Amino acid sequence: MLNQTDHYLLRRAYEEAVAGFNEGGCPIGSLLARGDEVLASGRNQRVQQGDPIAHGEMDALRKAGRQSTYRDTTLYTSLSPCMMCSGAIVQFGIPRVVIGENQNFGGNEAFLREHGVEVVIANDPGCIALMERFIREKPDLWAEDIAQEP
């Protein structure tokens, strides 16, 4: 269940996704928060930086810098996280992930849950529509992002 803070912070992750889309990249935004305090936000920057692991979640984690603990944080992401990002979530012990949408890409919710992560799916219409548009307009870039043949 999403609370008021979740709605607000997920909207900020969505805004990161829109910024990435407008830069010509993959529209996936993320944000790491401790309660209602934003530690960092980021977006998929694979295209912008030419970095194959610069996914939205990884960008937010990098920008958050070293934390003494992640066990009291929530990661917000506009799209269900891939295995690489899910592994980082588990590795750092992030206990809760709020996902904007998983209709366009069913990530690794089961993996996260199996490792004790609370997974909340928002089914956010804006997140869904943005990713649908991106996949329709840039199918080759989408295939590259998820390491599949176009």
Side-chain angles (χ1 to χ4, degrees):
M1 169 125 325
L2 295 177
N3 60 39
Q4 185 174 354
T5 298
D6 291 334
H7 283 289
Y8 172 71
L9 295 179
L10 182 59
R11 178 60 31 195
R12 294 218 15 217
Y14 168 79
E15 290 166 0
E16 285 284 343
V18 170
F21 180 82
N22 290 338
E23 294 168 352
C26 302
I28 304 163
S30 188
L31 186 142
L32 184 68
R34 180 171 284 121
D36 61 1
E37 175 193 1
V38 175
L39 300 176
S41 61
R43 59 184 165 268
N44 185 304
Q45 302 216 28
R46 294 180 67 256
V47 172
Q48 299 91 315
Q49 295 181 5
D51 180 350
I53 62 171
H55 286 201
E57 299 88 344
M58 302 302 260
D59 189 44
L61 289 169
R62 277 189 185 120
K63 289 177 178 174
R66 292 175 54 204
Q67 301 291 314
S68 60
T69 185
Y70 295 86
R71 298 196 185 285
D72 58 349
T73 63
T74 297
L75 184 79
Y76 296 84
T77 182
S78 61
L79 184 68
S80 188
C82 71
M83 184 52 80
M84 176 180 66
C85 296
S86 295
I89 291 163
V90 170
Q91 175 71 29
F92 292 120
I94 297 170
R96 185 169 183 261
V97 177
V98 176
I99 297 170
E101 73 109 339
N102 68 347
Q103 293 179 26
N104 288 293
F105 178 74
N108 296 280
E109 298 94 357
F111 171 82
L112 291 168
R113 288 182 178 117
E114 288 166 7
H115 287 85
V117 177
E118 177 188 354
V119 176
V120 180
I121 312 280
N123 290 317
D124 180 84
C127 291
I128 294 167
L130 180 61
M131 187 54 59
E132 284 175 347
R133 178 179 174 196
F134 171 71
I135 292 168
R136 184 178 61 252
E137 292 180 7
K138 299 184 179 185
D140 290 346
L141 186 54
W142 171 238
E144 178 188 326
D145 192 64
I146 59 173
Q148 301 212 349
E149 294 295 319

